[in-house]
PDB file of all heavy atoms in Angstrom:
ATOM      1  N   TYR A 230     -58.444 -42.777-146.107  1.00 83.00           N
ATOM      2  CA  TYR A 230     -58.257 -42.976-144.678  1.00 83.00           C
ATOM      3  C   TYR A 230     -59.557 -42.613-143.953  1.00 83.00           C
ATOM      4  O   TYR A 230     -60.211 -41.639-144.303  1.00 83.00           O
ATOM      5  CB  TYR A 230     -57.135 -42.090-144.133  1.00 83.00           C
ATOM      6  CG  TYR A 230     -55.762 -42.390-144.679  1.00 83.00           C
ATOM      7  CD1 TYR A 230     -55.220 -41.625-145.708  1.00 83.00           C
ATOM      8  CD2 TYR A 230     -55.007 -43.428-144.161  1.00 83.00           C
ATOM      9  CE1 TYR A 230     -53.954 -41.896-146.209  1.00 83.00           C
ATOM     10  CE2 TYR A 230     -53.742 -43.701-144.657  1.00 83.00           C
ATOM     11  CZ  TYR A 230     -53.221 -42.937-145.677  1.00 83.00           C
ATOM     12  OH  TYR A 230     -51.980 -43.206-146.169  1.00 83.00           O
ATOM     13  N   ASP A 231     -59.876 -43.381-142.942  1.00 87.00           N
ATOM     14  CA  ASP A 231     -61.030 -43.054-142.096  1.00 87.00           C
ATOM     15  C   ASP A 231     -60.542 -42.222-140.918  1.00 87.00           C
ATOM     16  O   ASP A 231     -59.611 -42.620-140.205  1.00 87.00           O
ATOM     17  CB  ASP A 231     -61.707 -44.328-141.586  1.00 87.00           C
ATOM     18  CG  ASP A 231     -62.363 -45.115-142.708  1.00 87.00           C
ATOM     19  OD1 ASP A 231     -62.918 -44.478-143.614  1.00 87.00           O
ATOM     20  OD2 ASP A 231     -62.315 -46.364-142.674  1.00 87.00           O
ATOM     21  N   CYS A 232     -61.157 -41.066-140.730  1.00 90.00           N
ATOM     22  CA  CYS A 232     -60.779 -40.204-139.614  1.00 90.00           C
ATOM     23  C   CYS A 232     -61.284 -40.817-138.303  1.00 90.00           C
ATOM     24  O   CYS A 232     -62.466 -41.157-138.188  1.00 90.00           O
ATOM     25  CB  CYS A 232     -61.393 -38.815-139.800  1.00 90.00           C
ATOM     26  SG  CYS A 232     -60.969 -37.651-138.482  1.00 90.00           S
ATOM     27  N   PRO A 233     -60.428 -40.984-137.293  1.00 92.00           N
ATOM     28  CA  PRO A 233     -60.905 -41.481-135.995  1.00 92.00           C
ATOM     29  C   PRO A 233     -61.974 -40.541-135.427  1.00 92.00           C
ATOM     30  O   PRO A 233     -61.890 -39.319-135.594  1.00 92.00           O
ATOM     31  CB  PRO A 233     -59.643 -41.456-135.125  1.00 92.00           C
ATOM     32  CG  PRO A 233     -58.503 -41.467-136.089  1.00 92.00           C
ATOM     33  CD  PRO A 233     -58.976 -40.721-137.291  1.00 92.00           C
ATOM     34  N   LYS A 234     -62.962 -41.102-134.780  1.00 93.00           N
ATOM     35  CA  LYS A 234     -64.052 -40.289-134.232  1.00 93.00           C
ATOM     36  C   LYS A 234     -63.528 -39.197-133.305  1.00 93.00           C
ATOM     37  O   LYS A 234     -64.090 -38.103-133.236  1.00 93.00           O
ATOM     38  CB  LYS A 234     -65.046 -41.179-133.491  1.00 93.00           C
ATOM     39  CG  LYS A 234     -65.854 -42.105-134.397  1.00 93.00           C
ATOM     40  CD  LYS A 234     -66.866 -42.913-133.596  1.00 93.00           C
ATOM     41  CE  LYS A 234     -67.681 -43.815-134.518  1.00 93.00           C
ATOM     42  NZ  LYS A 234     -68.660 -44.634-133.749  1.00 93.00           N
ATOM     43  N   PHE A 235     -62.449 -39.503-132.588  1.00 95.00           N
ATOM     44  CA  PHE A 235     -61.885 -38.537-131.649  1.00 95.00           C
ATOM     45  C   PHE A 235     -61.428 -37.272-132.357  1.00 95.00           C
ATOM     46  O   PHE A 235     -61.360 -36.202-131.757  1.00 95.00           O
ATOM     47  CB  PHE A 235     -60.708 -39.177-130.904  1.00 95.00           C
ATOM     48  CG  PHE A 235     -60.154 -38.341-129.784  1.00 95.00           C
ATOM     49  CD1 PHE A 235     -60.808 -38.271-128.563  1.00 95.00           C
ATOM     50  CD2 PHE A 235     -58.977 -37.628-129.940  1.00 95.00           C
ATOM     51  CE1 PHE A 235     -60.293 -37.501-127.526  1.00 95.00           C
ATOM     52  CE2 PHE A 235     -58.459 -36.854-128.921  1.00 95.00           C
ATOM     53  CZ  PHE A 235     -59.125 -36.799-127.702  1.00 95.00           C
ATOM     54  N   TYR A 237     -62.908 -36.057-135.234  1.00 94.00           N
ATOM     55  CA  TYR A 237     -63.959 -35.465-136.068  1.00 94.00           C
ATOM     56  C   TYR A 237     -63.919 -33.945-135.895  1.00 94.00           C
ATOM     57  O   TYR A 237     -63.539 -33.433-134.836  1.00 94.00           O
ATOM     58  CB  TYR A 237     -65.328 -36.000-135.663  1.00 94.00           C
ATOM     59  CG  TYR A 237     -65.684 -37.354-136.239  1.00 94.00           C
ATOM     60  CD1 TYR A 237     -64.812 -38.038-137.082  1.00 94.00           C
ATOM     61  CD2 TYR A 237     -66.901 -37.966-135.951  1.00 94.00           C
ATOM     62  CE1 TYR A 237     -65.138 -39.276-137.610  1.00 94.00           C
ATOM     63  CE2 TYR A 237     -67.242 -39.204-136.472  1.00 94.00           C
ATOM     64  CZ  TYR A 237     -66.348 -39.864-137.296  1.00 94.00           C
ATOM     65  OH  TYR A 237     -66.680 -41.091-137.825  1.00 94.00           O
ATOM     66  N   GLU A 239     -66.057 -31.472-135.364  1.00 94.00           N
ATOM     67  CA  GLU A 239     -66.702 -30.792-134.233  1.00 94.00           C
ATOM     68  C   GLU A 239     -66.013 -31.101-132.901  1.00 94.00           C
ATOM     69  O   GLU A 239     -65.995 -30.265-131.985  1.00 94.00           O
ATOM     70  CB  GLU A 239     -68.188 -31.158-134.149  1.00 94.00           C
ATOM     71  CG  GLU A 239     -68.497 -32.617-133.889  1.00 94.00           C
ATOM     72  CD  GLU A 239     -68.543 -33.445-135.164  1.00 94.00           C
ATOM     73  OE1 GLU A 239     -68.119 -32.949-136.227  1.00 94.00           O
ATOM     74  OE2 GLU A 239     -69.018 -34.596-135.085  1.00 94.00           O
ATOM     75  N   ASP A 374     -58.342 -31.542-144.479  1.00 91.00           N
ATOM     76  CA  ASP A 374     -59.717 -31.911-144.819  1.00 91.00           C
ATOM     77  C   ASP A 374     -60.722 -31.084-144.013  1.00 91.00           C
ATOM     78  O   ASP A 374     -61.730 -30.614-144.549  1.00 91.00           O
ATOM     79  CB  ASP A 374     -59.930 -33.403-144.552  1.00 91.00           C
ATOM     80  CG  ASP A 374     -61.244 -33.913-145.127  1.00 91.00           C
ATOM     81  OD1 ASP A 374     -61.350 -33.994-146.364  1.00 91.00           O
ATOM     82  OD2 ASP A 374     -62.165 -34.210-144.349  1.00 91.00           O
ATOM     83  N   ARG A 378     -63.659 -28.286-145.380  1.00 91.00           N
ATOM     84  CA  ARG A 378     -65.085 -28.376-145.026  1.00 91.00           C
ATOM     85  C   ARG A 378     -65.569 -27.090-144.354  1.00 91.00           C
ATOM     86  O   ARG A 378     -66.666 -26.608-144.628  1.00 91.00           O
ATOM     87  CB  ARG A 378     -65.328 -29.586-144.117  1.00 91.00           C
ATOM     88  CG  ARG A 378     -65.042 -30.921-144.810  1.00 91.00           C
ATOM     89  CD  ARG A 378     -65.212 -32.105-143.863  1.00 91.00           C
ATOM     90  NE  ARG A 378     -64.766 -33.340-144.495  1.00 91.00           N
ATOM     91  CZ  ARG A 378     -65.500 -34.084-145.305  1.00 91.00           C
ATOM     92  NH1 ARG A 378     -66.740 -33.720-145.585  1.00 91.00           N
ATOM     93  NH2 ARG A 378     -65.021 -35.194-145.827  1.00 91.00           N
ATOM     94  N   MET A 412     -59.003 -38.250-147.209  1.00 79.00           N
ATOM     95  CA  MET A 412     -59.822 -38.553-146.033  1.00 79.00           C
ATOM     96  C   MET A 412     -61.219 -38.959-146.496  1.00 79.00           C
ATOM     97  O   MET A 412     -61.881 -38.218-147.220  1.00 79.00           O
ATOM     98  CB  MET A 412     -59.896 -37.347-145.100  1.00 79.00           C
ATOM     99  CG  MET A 412     -58.559 -36.894-144.544  1.00 79.00           C
ATOM    100  SD  MET A 412     -57.619 -38.190-143.694  1.00 79.00           S
ATOM    101  CE  MET A 412     -58.752 -38.635-142.388  1.00 79.00           C
ATOM    102  N   ASN A 413     -61.646 -40.128-146.070  1.00 80.00           N
ATOM    103  CA  ASN A 413     -62.960 -40.616-146.467  1.00 80.00           C
ATOM    104  C   ASN A 413     -64.069 -39.831-145.781  1.00 80.00           C
ATOM    105  O   ASN A 413     -63.899 -39.327-144.665  1.00 80.00           O
ATOM    106  CB  ASN A 413     -63.104 -42.102-146.118  1.00 80.00           C
ATOM    107  CG  ASN A 413     -62.149 -42.975-146.907  1.00 80.00           C
ATOM    108  OD1 ASN A 413     -61.828 -42.664-148.042  1.00 80.00           O
ATOM    109  ND2 ASN A 413     -61.694 -44.061-146.300  1.00 80.00           N
ATOM    110  N   ASP A 414     -65.223 -39.728-146.458  1.00 77.00           N
ATOM    111  CA  ASP A 414     -66.381 -39.108-145.833  1.00 77.00           C
ATOM    112  C   ASP A 414     -66.830 -39.946-144.651  1.00 77.00           C
ATOM    113  O   ASP A 414     -66.691 -41.179-144.644  1.00 77.00           O
ATOM    114  CB  ASP A 414     -67.528 -38.992-146.848  1.00 77.00           C
ATOM    115  CG  ASP A 414     -67.210 -38.023-147.966  1.00 77.00           C
ATOM    116  OD1 ASP A 414     -66.390 -37.112-147.734  1.00 77.00           O
ATOM    117  OD2 ASP A 414     -67.770 -38.179-149.064  1.00 77.00           O
ATOM    118  N   ARG A 415     -67.336 -39.271-143.644  1.00 75.00           N
ATOM    119  CA  ARG A 415     -67.824 -40.002-142.472  1.00 75.00           C
ATOM    120  C   ARG A 415     -69.018 -40.857-142.841  1.00 75.00           C
ATOM    121  O   ARG A 415     -69.843 -40.468-143.672  1.00 75.00           O
ATOM    122  CB  ARG A 415     -68.198 -39.005-141.376  1.00 75.00           C
ATOM    123  CG  ARG A 415     -66.977 -38.413-140.695  1.00 75.00           C
ATOM    124  CD  ARG A 415     -67.251 -37.130-139.982  1.00 75.00           C
ATOM    125  NE  ARG A 415     -68.301 -37.212-139.007  1.00 75.00           N
ATOM    126  CZ  ARG A 415     -68.598 -36.242-138.134  1.00 75.00           C
ATOM    127  NH1 ARG A 415     -67.900 -35.121-138.155  1.00 75.00           N
ATOM    128  NH2 ARG A 415     -69.562 -36.376-137.270  1.00 75.00           N
ATOM    129  N   PRO A 416     -69.123 -42.034-142.236  1.00 73.00           N
ATOM    130  CA  PRO A 416     -70.252 -42.909-142.569  1.00 73.00           C
ATOM    131  C   PRO A 416     -71.578 -42.270-142.181  1.00 73.00           C
ATOM    132  O   PRO A 416     -71.694 -41.622-141.131  1.00 73.00           O
ATOM    133  CB  PRO A 416     -69.983 -44.169-141.736  1.00 73.00           C
ATOM    134  CG  PRO A 416     -69.068 -43.721-140.637  1.00 73.00           C
ATOM    135  CD  PRO A 416     -68.234 -42.625-141.216  1.00 73.00           C
ATOM    136  N   ILE A 417     -72.559 -42.425-143.038  1.00 62.00           N
ATOM    137  CA  ILE A 417     -73.906 -41.903-142.766  1.00 62.00           C
ATOM    138  C   ILE A 417     -74.684 -42.961-142.014  1.00 62.00           C
ATOM    139  O   ILE A 417     -74.877 -44.078-142.503  1.00 62.00           O
ATOM    140  CB  ILE A 417     -74.625 -41.532-144.071  1.00 62.00           C
ATOM    141  CG1 ILE A 417     -73.836 -40.436-144.807  1.00 62.00           C
ATOM    142  CG2 ILE A 417     -76.050 -41.077-143.795  1.00 62.00           C
ATOM    143  CD1 ILE A 417     -74.414 -40.109-146.172  1.00 62.00           C
ATOM    144  N   ILE A 418     -75.092 -42.606-140.817  1.00 54.00           N
ATOM    145  CA  ILE A 418     -75.857 -43.548-139.996  1.00 54.00           C
ATOM    146  C   ILE A 418     -77.338 -43.356-140.308  1.00 54.00           C
ATOM    147  O   ILE A 418     -77.920 -42.308-140.030  1.00 54.00           O
ATOM    148  CB  ILE A 418     -75.589 -43.328-138.496  1.00 54.00           C
ATOM    149  CG1 ILE A 418     -74.089 -43.479-138.212  1.00 54.00           C
ATOM    150  CG2 ILE A 418     -76.408 -44.285-137.656  1.00 54.00           C
ATOM    151  CD1 ILE A 418     -73.692 -43.165-136.789  1.00 54.00           C
ATOM    152  N   SER A 419     -77.911 -44.359-140.917  1.00 52.00           N
ATOM    153  CA  SER A 419     -79.328 -44.257-141.283  1.00 52.00           C
ATOM    154  C   SER A 419     -80.209 -44.551-140.074  1.00 52.00           C
ATOM    155  O   SER A 419     -79.972 -45.512-139.332  1.00 52.00           O
ATOM    156  CB  SER A 419     -79.643 -45.242-142.418  1.00 52.00           C
ATOM    157  OG  SER A 419     -79.322 -46.550-142.014  1.00 52.00           O
ATOM    158  N   VAL A 420     -81.212 -43.691-139.881  1.00 48.00           N
ATOM    159  CA  VAL A 420     -82.162 -43.868-138.784  1.00 48.00           C
ATOM    160  C   VAL A 420     -83.343 -44.666-139.297  1.00 48.00           C
ATOM    161  O   VAL A 420     -83.977 -44.274-140.282  1.00 48.00           O
ATOM    162  CB  VAL A 420     -82.629 -42.499-138.241  1.00 48.00           C
ATOM    163  CG1 VAL A 420     -83.616 -42.690-137.106  1.00 48.00           C
ATOM    164  CG2 VAL A 420     -81.441 -41.677-137.799  1.00 48.00           C
TER     165      VAL A 420
END
Side-chain angles (χ1 to χ4, degrees):
Y230 296 99
D231 293 322
C232 181
K234 291 183 179 179
F235 187 78
Y237 278 0
E239 63 274 12
D374 191 70
R378 295 177 187 276
M412 299 305 300
N413 295 328
D414 293 334
R415 285 160 56 171
I417 299 175
I418 302 175
S419 58
V420 180

